């Protein structure tokens, strides 16, 4: 699928941004503003299938999402950044995109959900119910965090949720949970930035294994999963040398 893209800026460093589940390209704006203010960047965002201004689809596998990204982003970018689901998609597309650097913000590499034994069978027997409970708990935790975001960010998030094809969520969670990213050397030089909430999407043991394989692991303390919205200045600061 050819995805909706938007490009801004005219700097020499061309960067692609891939959003997370339920977001879209507009939710990167706080980080984009910081990048463009330097005059060094050209930034291209995409809306994944079922998000934003891209079309909905009958199927939402991670492979299909990655194929869309490869079709829609330019080849050979200086860097590509993926947040959460965007990271799970980027890692499956990065070898074909061939950026100089891949950057992952709390990427969905392996969910902290049961997949084996009685607990796994019980959890996935009625995933709409069990994932709904998990989602409701996370929403309550996130509400106070998001309440302090600027109004423009809250409105952008609300609009992206309105456009989001929510029926894709269960399949995405299931695929990531049952098919975590293999611990191996990165296809291109790669940086992972982790928040305090990162174990929910990338277990600590996996992060340690990836670091041993040559991944650059960085951590920002005192920040939550939507780090680029909560504190774009700190995120930009920790990434300035790799963007």
């Amino acid at each position: 699928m050819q995805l909706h893209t938007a490009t801004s800026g005219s700097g020499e460093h061309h960067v692609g941004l891939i959003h997370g589940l339920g977001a879209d390209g507009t939710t990167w704006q706080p980080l984009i503003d910081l990048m463009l203010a330097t005059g060094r960047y050209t930034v291209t965002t995409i809306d994944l299938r079922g998000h934003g201004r891209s079309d909905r689809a009958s199927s939402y596998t991670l492979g299909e999402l990655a194929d869309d990204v490869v079709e829609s982003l330019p080849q050979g970018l200086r860097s590509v950044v993926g947040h959460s689901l965007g990271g799970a998609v980027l890692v499956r597309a990065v070898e074909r995109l061939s950026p100089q650097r891949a950057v992952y913000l709390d990427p969905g590499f392996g969910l902290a959900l049961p997949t084996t034994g009685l607990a796994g069978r019980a959890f996935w027997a009625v995933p709409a119910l069990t994932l709904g409970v998990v989602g409701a708990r996370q929403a309550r935790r996130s509400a106070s965090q998001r309440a302090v975001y600027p109004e423009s960010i809250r409105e952008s998030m609300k609009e992206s949720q309105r456009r989001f094809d929510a029926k894709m969520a269960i399949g995405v969670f299931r695929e990531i949970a049952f098919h975590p990213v293999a611990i191996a050397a990165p296809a291109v030089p790669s940086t992972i930035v982790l928040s305090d909430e990162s174990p929910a999407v990338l277990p600590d043991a996996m992060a340690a294994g990836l670091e041993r394989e040559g991944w650059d692991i960085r951590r920002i303390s005192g920040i939550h999963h939507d780090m680029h919205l909560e504190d774009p200045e700190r995120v930009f600061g920790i990434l300035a040398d790799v963007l």
Side-chain angles (χ1 to χ4, degrees):
M1 178 185 295
Q2 184 66 43
L3 303 175
H4 176 269
T5 66
T7 298
S8 53
S10 58
E12 63 175 323
H13 300 328
H14 196 167
V15 177
L17 302 177
I18 309 173
H19 62 79
L21 189 72
D24 63 31
T26 66
T27 56
W28 286 106
Q29 198 60 49
L31 184 61
I32 292 172
D33 289 343
L34 292 173
M35 295 171 69
L36 296 187
T38 70
R40 297 196 301 268
Y41 296 98
T42 298
V43 182
T44 296
T45 62
I46 59 172
D47 295 348
L48 296 172
R49 66 167 63 188
H51 293 78
R53 291 176 173 79
S54 291
D55 292 337
R56 297 191 173 196
S58 59
S59 178
Y60 293 101
T61 69
L62 293 175
E64 290 166 335
L65 293 169
D67 290 345
D68 296 344
V69 169
V70 172
E71 181 176 345
S72 303
L73 277 181
Q75 294 287 315
L77 294 172
R78 178 179 171 86
S79 61
V80 182
V81 183
H83 171 248
S84 197
L85 170 61
V89 173
L90 175 57
V91 77
R92 290 164 171 83
V94 70
E95 191 167 7
R96 289 174 287 167
L97 286 173
S98 299
Q100 294 179 40
R101 170 77 61 163
V103 179
Y104 301 86
L105 309 182
D106 267 5
F109 280 7
L111 301 183
L113 298 173
T115 56
T116 60
L118 181 60
R121 290 194 297 273
F123 187 92
W124 294 100
V126 190
L129 175 61
T130 49
L131 286 171
V133 171
V134 172
R137 290 174 181 168
Q138 180 59 45
R140 287 194 295 271
R141 289 194 295 268
S142 300
S144 59
Q145 303 162 19
R146 295 177 176 181
V148 300
Y149 291 176
E151 178 65 21
S152 60
I153 297 176
R154 296 200 304 273
E155 286 301 316
S156 176
M157 295 174 71
K158 185 185 301 183
E159 179 63 13
S160 68
Q161 283 290 322
R162 186 187 68 79
R163 295 174 180 269
F164 170 50
D165 189 357
K167 72 174 184 288
M168 72 184 292
I170 291 175
V172 165
F173 285 132
R174 185 192 297 273
E175 189 172 358
I176 294 174
F178 282 90
H179 302 284
V181 169
I183 295 176
V188 303
S190 297
T191 295
I192 297 175
V193 180
L194 301 176
S195 75
D196 290 346
E197 295 181 328
S198 65
V201 293
L202 199 165
D204 289 339
M206 178 184 286
L210 293 172
E211 189 167 29
R212 287 193 298 270
E213 292 291 336
W215 296 66
D216 171 30
I217 306 293
R218 306 181 183 189
R219 297 180 183 272
I220 305 181
S221 61
I223 201 168
H224 302 90
H225 183 61
D226 290 332
M227 62 181 81
H228 57 299
L229 296 174
E230 182 177 352
D231 199 335
E233 289 85 1
R234 287 182 71 192
V235 171
F236 183 49
I238 204 171
L239 294 180
D241 63 321
V242 294
L243 286 179

